[in-house]
Amino acid sequence: MSINCFFLSSISLSITTLFLIIILLKYGKERIQRILLLFNLSVFVWAIAATAISQISSDSQLSDLIWRIGTIGVSFTCPTPLHITYILTKRNLKKAVIFSYIQAAIFSILILKTNLVLINIVNPVSKDFLIFSPGKLYLFWFLSWFLLISYSHFYLI
């Protein structure tokens, strides 16, 4: 096992979100708490994938699958804050919330089934760190994620 800063940060995030998930599963009865549970599940998927990737030092199909699953977790970190904002502010954001869940689902399918968002070519940054090349739609995926997150923060402010 290789312990580096990337591993330490991702395992810390995994453990933290796992505790939040357990608490929300046990005590989360309200709608907003269930949405917060979905957010933490998304972050947990991403963090676990990042932890696993930090330990894989070769080009393999397993590392490709793990990276894609982690990126799907990132995709779903976008709709949940917007959904929480919709509930907290009582603004008319229902169409934006629905759009954000749909775009996350579409991108998740594209991430898992195609090379349009992620290309399964591993670029070793060092012997302890792998990163995947962006596909043709990666910038669009990132910008839609960033804009929807910004949109939810704008309404909170």
Side-chain angles (χ1 to χ4, degrees):
M1 178 190 295
S2 171
I3 297 180
N4 56 35
C5 290
F6 188 71
F7 171 79
L8 291 174
S9 64
S10 59
I11 195 73
S12 298
L13 183 59
S14 300
I15 293 167
T16 304
T17 54
L18 181 60
F19 281 124
L20 289 169
I21 289 166
I22 292 167
I23 291 167
L24 287 165
L25 279 171
K26 185 169 182 170
Y27 299 108
K29 307 291 183 226
E30 309 246 346
R31 181 175 162 201
I32 198 163
Q33 293 165 329
R34 290 191 308 264
I35 297 166
L36 189 57
L37 173 65
L38 290 175
F39 174 76
N40 281 288
L41 283 169
S42 300
V43 173
F44 181 73
V45 166
W46 169 53
I48 284 293
T51 303
I53 284 294
S54 73
Q55 298 305 304
I56 297 173
S57 60
S58 65
D59 183 358
S60 70
Q61 289 181 336
L62 178 61
S63 61
D64 177 57
L65 178 63
I66 291 169
W67 193 264
R68 289 174 188 274
I69 290 170
T71 305
I72 289 170
V74 172
S75 293
F76 279 97
T77 61
C78 174
T80 47
L82 186 61
H83 200 164
I84 290 169
T85 301
Y86 166 67
I87 293 168
L88 288 175
T89 63
K90 297 180 174 90
R91 292 191 179 245
N92 189 12
L93 300 173
K94 190 172 187 175
K95 288 180 184 177
V97 170
I98 292 169
F99 171 77
S100 67
Y101 280 108
I102 290 171
Q103 70 86 27
I106 289 170
F107 276 119
S108 295
I109 292 167
L110 290 173
I111 288 165
L112 207 51
K113 299 287 187 185
T114 72
N115 287 337
L116 291 173
V117 180
L118 296 175
I119 298 175
N120 56 351
I121 299 171
V122 180
N123 296 318
V125 176
S126 72
K127 68 179 181 119
D128 295 326
F129 188 75
L130 303 174
I131 192 164
F132 285 71
S133 298
K136 293 177 182 176
L137 295 179
Y138 182 83
L139 183 60
F140 185 68
W141 169 80
F142 175 75
L143 286 175
S144 66
W145 179 88
F146 179 78
L147 290 173
L148 286 167
I149 288 290
S150 299
Y151 188 64
S152 66
H153 284 81
F154 170 78
Y155 277 105
L156 280 176
I157 292 169

